Amino acid sequence: MPKRRDILAIVLIVLPWTLLITVWHQSAIAPLLAIRKACHHLVKEIFIIPERLAVHRHRLADDGADRGRREAGQSSDSKEYCSSDKDIVEVVRTEYVYTRPPPWSDGLPTIHIITPTYSRPVQKAELTRLANTFLHVANLHWILVEDSQRRTPLVTRMLRETGLNYTHLNVETPRNYKLRADTRDPRIPRGTMQRNLALRWLRETFNSNSSQAGIVYFADDDNTYSLELFEEMRSTRKVSVWPVAFVGGLRYESPKVNAAGKVYGWKTVFDPHRPFAIDMAGFAINLRLILFKPQAYFKLRGVKGGYQESSLLRELVTLNDLEPKASNCTKILVWHTRTEKPVLVNEGKKGFTDLNVEI
Amino acid sequence: MATRMKLKLKTVFVLYFMVSLMGLIYALMQLGQRCDCAEHDMPKDRTISRLRGELHRLQEQMRKAEPTKLPQKLAVKPAQPTIYVITPTYTRFVQKAELTRLAQTFLHVPQLHWILVEDSPHKTPLVSGFLASSGLAYTHLHTPTPRDRKLQEGDPSWLKPRGAEQRNEGLRWLREDRRGQPGADTQLGVVYFADDDNTYSLQLFEEMRGTQRVSVWPVGLVGGMRYERPVVEGGKVVRFHTGWRPSRPFPLDMAGFAVSLKLVIANQDACFDGDAPMGFLESSFLQGLVTMDELEPKAENCTKVLVWHTRTEKPKMKREEALQKQGLGSDTAVERIKAR
C-alpha cells in the first residue's frame, strides 16, 4: 500500500513539472522558429532580388500592415518579430550584389519586351540605361528590333555585354515611309514595322499550346520605367492598362476606372473618344492572347495620329476586358520621357572626332 | 512521532502540488499573450541588431538636418573604396523619372554612396520618399541657389553655371559631417559628380574606383561633338580633344573626371566657383587640386566612351496649362512616383 501511494505521489509531483516544461519549451521555441523562418525568407529574397524586397515592403505598407511582412503560412506574430527591424534588411542588401540579371524563376511569367530602335547619336546611351533598368527584372526577355538593313555591330556588341536574355531582330522601314521632319504627314508611325516583326517572331516561336506564360510589353528606348511596373504587368490575364506620365500634353494620361474596377473611359484631352486612348507604354498584353489572334498587328498605313495603339488593341480585346493596374490607375509607374537631340555643331563637315570611337 | 511526520509530509506534498498547479496555470495563461514571450526569448543576435538599430536611430536624431541612410556593417571592412556620387537636382516635371532611372543604374554598383543635393530651401517630400524606397545608401542634402545665380524661365541652359552651390554642399558634407558615419575612419573613396540627366554605364564606376588623385575619361555627346576626351600619350594626358574653348585649364565636362576622397579632404578649400565664366566651372575646382600631367587616364587610355551627356526634353504641357486655366488640371495629388 505504501508503494502505491508512493508511486502516486511521485507521479503527482512529476506530472505538473513535465507538463510545465514541455509546454513552456514549445511556446518559447515556436515563435523563435517563426522568426528564423521569416527572417531567413527575408534574407533569401534580399540576396536574390533586393529591389523586389523594396517593392514588397511598399505593398505591405499600402495594405495598412505597418512595418509588417506577410509571408504565406506564417503566424501573425512573426510579423512583429521579424519585420520592424529594418536594419537587418539594409545590412544584407548592401553587402552582396546580386547576380545580374536575377536568376530565372520557373514560377514567373516571362515578360517579353519589344523595343524598336534606330541609329542616332544617343542610341547607345538610351539602350545602356534601358539595359540597366532591365537587369533588375527577373524572367525578362528583350526583343530589340533595329530599323536598319542589317543588324549593327554597335547593338550586337552592347546586347552581348549586358548579359540580358535577348533576341536581336531588324527590319528596315522603307525610306519613303519613314517619318518625315514635318510630322503633319506621317506615313507610318515610327517603329510600327519593327513592332509587327517582333509580334510575328513571337507567333512563330511560341505555339498556342505552349505552357510558358508570357506578357508582351512595348517599351520605347527613351522612356523611363519603374521596376514596380514590371511586377504589376506580370499578372495580366488579357490586357492590362495603367497611367503614363508626360503624354498627350498633360502631366499624365490615365484610364478611367469605375468603382467596380472596370475601365469605362479615358482621362485625356487629346481625342478621348479613341477606342483606346492610351500610349504605347500604357498597356501590356498576355502572350496567349497574341497567339490566339494571329492576325492582330499594328496597322501600317492610313492610321490617324494617336490611333496606332487602338489599331492593335481593338482586334484583341474590348474595353470591358481591360485590367486596371497601378492601384486602379492612380499611380504613375512609367514616364514618357524624350531625350534631346544633341547639338553636334562642332563636328563640322569632316567630323572632328574619330569615327572609330563608338558612342 | 510517526503521525506527525506523516502529517508534515502530507502537507508538504499538498503544498507542493498546489504550487506546481498554480505555476502550470500561470504558464498556460502566459501562452495566451504571445507578445510577452518576445522579451524573454529573443536570440542574442536579434538583440544586438535591435540595439544597433536604436543606436542608429539615435545617431540620426543627433545629426539634426540630414538623415543619412547608411547600412550598418556587420564588422566587415569595406574591401573596395566607396564611390561617393554627388548629384545636384531641382524640382521639375521630369525630376522623378530622371532620379528613378539613375537609381536603377546605381543599384548595380557595389559600395556606392549617393549624395543627392536639392536646389531648394528645404527637403521635398518627393525626393525624401523616393530615396527612402530606392534601396541605395544615400545622404539627402539641400541648399538653395541664390536668386541672382538662378536660371530664369526662358534663359538658355548654358547662361549660368548650374549646381555649383549644391556640389559644394556635397563636398562640405564629405569633409565635415561624414565623420559621424560608421566606416568613416577610412579616407578610401572616390568622389564623382553625376548630373541627374546623364547616362552612365556600369563599367565607368569600376574604372573610377582606382583613382589615386584625379582620373579622367571621354564623355559622349558634349561640347557640340560626338564626344570630348583627353588625349593620352605614353600613359599621360598631354592635351584635350574638344571643339569648344580648348584653352581652358581643364576643358572637361563634370561627368568626365573623378577625384579621390583623400584629395578632397586634404584640400579643404577646393570648391566650385559659381561665378566662373561659362565652361570654367570644372576648372575652378580642379585647378587647385591637380596638374594636367598628374591626371590618370581611364577607359583604355581615354578611347572608350562610358558616359554620355544626355539631356531630357522638357515635356510639353500646353494641354495641362489650358486645363488648369479652366480649373480642370490633372490631379496634382498623384505624385509621379510609386506612391506609398
Side-chain angles (χ1 to χ4, degrees):
Chain A
M1 240 162 51
K3 267 193 193 163
R4 258 183 70 186
R5 228 201 257 166
D6 283 322
I7 293 170
L8 192 66
I10 291 168
V11 167
L12 282 172
I13 289 169
V14 171
L15 187 67
W17 283 107
T18 44
L19 273 172
L20 192 72
I21 288 167
T22 46
V23 172
W24 191 270
H25 188 65
Q26 222 179 41
S27 82
I29 288 297
L32 265 183
L33 281 176
I35 301 169
R36 284 269 157 72
K37 245 203 302 186
C39 282
H40 188 61
H41 198 103
L42 211 77
V43 163
K44 248 184 147 161
E45 283 242 66
I46 294 166
F47 271 87
I48 292 178
I49 307 169
E51 189 55 34
R52 240 187 176 189
L53 185 69
V55 169
H56 273 155
R57 262 204 285 163
H58 260 266
R59 283 230 186 91
L60 288 154
D62 285 339
D63 292 344
D66 192 39
R67 294 166 144 242
R69 207 185 143 106
R70 201 192 324 124
E71 301 288 326
Q74 294 294 340
S75 67
S76 58
D77 305 287
S78 55
K79 229 202 285 190
E80 295 161 70
Y81 289 116
C82 197
S83 59
S84 50
D85 199 327
K86 277 155 100 181
D87 292 314
I88 290 187
V89 172
E90 282 160 14
V91 172
V92 181
R93 189 199 309 255
T94 55
E95 280 177 5
Y96 183 80
V97 178
Y98 65 99
T99 52
R100 304 196 284 259
W104 202 266
S105 160
D106 277 327
L108 291 174
T110 307
I111 298 182
H112 301 277
I113 305 226
I114 297 177
T115 301
T117 185
Y118 65 103
S119 291
R120 74 258 198 216
V122 296
Q123 181 187 38
K124 191 173 178 195
E126 301 280 44
L127 295 178
T128 299
R129 55 184 170 187
L130 205 57
N132 287 342
T133 301
F134 292 159
L135 280 168
H136 288 290
V137 185
N139 284 34
L140 184 141
H141 174 219
W142 197 13
I143 305 175
L144 194 57
V145 194
E146 289 198 74
D147 185 351
S148 66
Q149 219 175 44
R150 255 175 296 261
R151 286 184 262 173
T152 58
L154 184 149
V155 175
T156 312
R157 254 197 307 263
M158 196 224 81
L159 279 175
R160 216 187 2 231
E161 279 168 6
T162 59
L164 283 166
N165 178 21
Y166 69 87
T167 297
H168 187 184
L169 307 170
N170 71 292
V171 63
E172 190 176 28
T173 313
R175 216 158 275 283
N176 57 332
Y177 288 168
K178 274 197 180 139
L179 204 64
R180 292 204 299 209
D182 62 308
T183 51
R184 218 172 297 165
D185 179 25
R187 300 294 172 119
I188 303 184
R190 175 175 278 160
T192 312
M193 287 188 71
Q194 286 72 35
R195 292 187 192 99
N196 282 343
L197 179 68
L199 287 174
R200 204 181 83 192
W201 181 90
L202 281 169
R203 286 168 177 141
E204 284 168 5
T205 310
F206 296 97
N207 63 13
S208 316
N209 302 328
S210 150
S211 59
Q212 175 64 357
I215 313 288
V216 177
Y217 182 54
F218 298 98
D220 289 345
D221 59 8
D222 53 0
N223 292 342
T224 304
Y225 310 93
S226 75
L227 298 179
E228 208 183 326
L229 176 73
F230 300 107
E231 300 318 310
E232 290 274 318
M233 70 170 77
R234 248 191 247 275
S235 54
T236 305
R237 288 194 310 274
K238 288 196 167 178
V239 175
S240 54
V241 292
W242 47 78
V244 179
F246 311 140
V247 281
L250 295 171
R251 283 172 73 245
Y252 63 90
E253 271 185 359
S254 130
K256 283 196 210 164
V257 182
N258 62 18
K262 289 259 178 236
V263 176
Y264 68 95
W266 308 97
K267 200 155 166 261
T268 76
V269 167
F270 171 62
D271 205 347
H273 302 294
R274 291 175 272 167
F276 294 91
I278 197 167
D279 181 76
M280 197 66 74
F283 65 91
I285 311 172
N286 192 316
L287 182 62
R288 244 179 297 125
L289 193 57
I290 300 273
L291 300 174
F292 187 60
K293 304 252 170 97
Q295 305 305 320
Y297 282 99
F298 288 103
K299 196 149 173 254
L300 275 178
R301 317 270 302 273
V303 178
K304 257 191 347 179
Y307 280 77
Q308 228 221 339
E309 294 82 4
S310 305
S311 72
L312 174 71
L313 286 172
R314 68 156 186 258
E315 301 194 30
L316 291 173
V317 82
T318 61
L319 207 69
N320 200 35
D321 287 334
L322 294 176
E323 299 150 51
K325 299 286 175 189
S327 298
N328 267 348
C329 295
T330 55
K331 293 204 283 188
I332 306 293
L333 303 175
V334 56
W335 300 261
H336 195 280
T337 43
R338 290 168 56 82
T339 306
E340 273 185 21
K341 198 169 158 192
V343 173
L344 301 180
V345 283
N346 284 336
E347 287 286 348
K349 286 211 168 69
K350 285 205 213 140
F352 191 64
T353 53
D354 184 358
L355 282 171
N356 286 324
V357 177
E358 197 181 78
I359 53 156
Chain B
M1 193 66 168
T3 34
R4 239 182 46 209
M5 271 191 73
K6 237 186 181 172
L7 254 146
K8 216 177 167 191
L9 196 65
K10 212 176 184 174
T11 41
V12 166
F13 173 72
V14 169
L15 263 163
Y16 177 83
F17 183 73
M18 297 308 295
V19 164
S20 51
L21 202 66
M22 299 287 226
L24 184 68
I25 292 169
Y26 173 78
L28 281 167
M29 278 177 58
Q30 282 298 314
L31 283 180
Q33 306 148 36
R34 290 269 213 177
C35 312
D36 286 354
C37 298
E39 289 165 7
H40 303 297
D41 286 288
M42 230 188 239
K44 240 188 283 179
D45 50 342
R46 279 212 46 87
T47 320
I48 290 175
S49 53
R50 186 170 55 81
L51 288 171
R52 198 180 278 125
E54 282 174 26
L55 176 69
H56 180 58
R57 261 169 250 130
L58 288 169
Q59 276 181 333
E60 273 185 27
Q61 279 171 24
M62 268 170 33
R63 246 166 284 116
K64 309 155 222 170
E66 305 129 17
T68 302
K69 236 357 180 225
L70 195 65
Q72 312 281 356
K73 305 272 189 239
L74 277 171
V76 169
K77 288 203 179 61
Q80 297 171 303
T82 304
I83 298 180
Y84 294 92
V85 180
I86 299 181
T87 300
T89 185
Y90 65 103
T91 304
R92 74 266 198 209
F93 283 121
V94 297
Q95 181 187 36
K96 188 164 181 221
E98 302 282 41
L99 295 178
T100 300
R101 53 185 173 184
L102 201 58
Q104 286 164 357
T105 298
F106 290 161
L107 275 167
H108 290 296
V109 185
Q111 287 296 106
L112 183 142
H113 188 106
W114 197 12
I115 303 170
L116 193 56
V117 194
E118 292 197 74
D119 181 354
S120 157
H122 51 78
K123 290 190 202 183
T124 58
L126 185 148
V127 175
S128 306
F130 166 77
L131 280 174
S133 62
S134 63
L136 291 163
Y138 67 86
T139 296
H140 185 185
L141 305 170
H142 63 95
T143 183
T145 310
R147 202 165 278 279
D148 55 343
R149 288 210 194 139
K150 233 181 144 85
L151 279 176
Q152 302 304 322
E153 193 70 36
D155 276 350
S157 62
W158 44 260
L159 193 65
K160 292 173 188 152
R162 290 190 301 183
E165 282 78 13
Q166 287 73 38
R167 293 186 190 99
N168 287 339
E169 170 69 7
L171 289 170
R172 185 203 63 78
W173 183 86
L174 278 174
R175 288 165 176 148
E176 294 167 19
D177 297 344
R178 193 188 64 101
R179 280 196 217 110
Q181 302 295 318
D185 48 338
T186 171
Q187 285 193 357
L188 203 60
V190 181
V191 182
Y192 181 54
F193 299 96
D195 290 344
D196 60 8
D197 54 358
N198 292 342
T199 304
Y200 309 92
S201 72
L202 301 179
Q203 204 190 336
L204 176 73
F205 297 102
E206 298 321 308
E207 293 273 323
M208 72 169 75
R209 227 184 264 276
T211 305
Q212 298 300 313
R213 299 180 69 88
V214 176
S215 54
V216 290
W217 48 78
V219 178
L221 310 171
V222 73
M225 303 205 298
R226 286 172 71 246
Y227 61 86
E228 262 185 358
R229 70 181 181 99
V231 177
V232 175
E233 278 165 25
K236 291 234 174 272
V237 177
V238 292
R239 63 177 187 281
F240 293 92
H241 183 91
T242 165
W244 191 79
R245 293 218 194 157
S247 56
R248 292 175 277 164
F250 289 96
L252 294 165
D253 182 76
M254 196 66 73
F257 67 91
V259 187
S260 78
L261 183 63
K262 219 190 251 178
L263 205 61
V264 166
I265 292 178
N267 297 289
Q268 294 279 319
D269 295 327
C271 61
F272 292 93
D273 182 5
D275 289 323
M278 249 295 288
F280 283 78
L281 196 61
E282 295 85 1
S283 307
S284 70
F285 176 63
L286 289 172
Q287 255 175 330
L289 287 178
V290 77
T291 59
M292 183 156 76
D293 56 277
E294 287 173 341
L295 294 173
E296 298 151 49
K298 300 285 176 188
E300 289 179 41
N301 272 342
C302 294
T303 55
K304 293 264 177 290
V305 174
L306 301 173
V307 56
W308 298 263
H309 194 276
T310 43
R311 292 170 53 81
T312 306
E313 274 185 22
K314 199 169 158 194
K316 298 190 180 69
M317 295 277 163
K318 0 179 259 263
R319 295 209 177 87
E320 187 73 44
E321 287 148 23
L323 273 182
Q324 276 180 1
K325 285 207 182 89
Q326 300 169 23
L328 294 169
S330 17
D331 191 357
T332 44
V334 175
E335 207 191 70
R336 282 162 255 104
I337 53 164
K338 39 187 191 211
R340 286 194 165 275

